[in-house]
């Protein structure tokens, strides 16, 4: 390199990241979506997914996805969950997965993990009160989802006030 040659600035261009957030309408999963929104850069992809037990009115009402006088319609519950997600992270893609009314947490975790394999994210984010304590507890949806080794994992344990 000669000193007579001008220096040409080439800006660093970060590669796009793809984030996956397991969302169940709890405060910790909402916080997980907020954290990803704050970490993601323009052009990054965010996929938020929730598993909805078919016909489980109590589940949907507890999360505010179904009104007291409404009967369970999967499309309505999914739309309301999507609206909640988009209110937190407007650029996120949303996936509602139908599971059986009495699906175990293991079955729900398997469905979410299958979706994770299909979309192949760089980072998987879950909210869990048991992070670092009982993450491998039998029946833990979070342990099923974070069990892969082809992505990094962020576990959100606290809601920032």
């Amino acid at each position: 390199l000669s000193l007579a040659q001008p220096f040409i600035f080439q800006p660093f261009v970060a590669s796009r990241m793809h984030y996956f957030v397991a969302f169940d309408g709890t405060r910790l999963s909402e916080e997980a979506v907020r954290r990803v929104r704050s970490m993601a850069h323009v052009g990054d992809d965010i996929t938020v997914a929730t598993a909805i037990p078919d016909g489980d009115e109590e589940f949907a009402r507890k999360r505010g996805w179904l009104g007291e006088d409404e009967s369970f319609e999967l499309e309505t519950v999914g739309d309301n969950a999507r609206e909640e997600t988009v209110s937190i992270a407007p650029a996120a893609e949303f996936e509602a997965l139908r599971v059986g009314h009495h699906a175990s947490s293991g079955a729900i975790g398997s469905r979410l993990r299958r979706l994770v394999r299909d979309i192949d994210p760089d980072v998987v984010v879950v909210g869990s009160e048991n992070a670092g304590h009982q993450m491998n507890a039998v029946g833990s949806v979070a342990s099923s989802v974070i069990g892969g080794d082809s992505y990094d994992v962020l576990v959100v344990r606290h809601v920032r006030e």
Side-chain angles (χ1 to χ4, degrees), residues 33-84:
V33 174
R34 276 191 286 283
R35 299 269 180 97
V36 167
R37 183 200 64 212
S38 69
M39 290 186 304
H41 298 282
V42 173
D44 287 349
D45 295 316
I46 302 170
T47 300
V48 177
T50 191
I52 300 173
D54 196 12
D56 193 340
E57 292 181 358
E58 181 181 347
F59 174 89
R61 283 196 178 98
K62 185 176 177 182
R63 285 150 179 82
W65 300 342
L66 187 65
E68 284 300 317
D69 298 331
E70 290 180 285
S71 60
F72 189 96
E73 295 288 335
L74 188 64
E75 187 174 332
T76 300
V77 173
D79 287 347
N80 290 338
R82 179 187 321 274
E83 285 178 24
E84 182 178 359

Side-chain angles (χ1 to χ4, degrees), residues 12-30:
F12 172 76
V13 178
S15 62
R16 290 177 60 159
M17 296 285 289
H18 190 165
Y19 298 90
F20 174 88
V21 184
F23 182 74
D24 64 2
T26 61
R27 289 186 58 195
L28 281 173
S29 69
E30 291 170 356

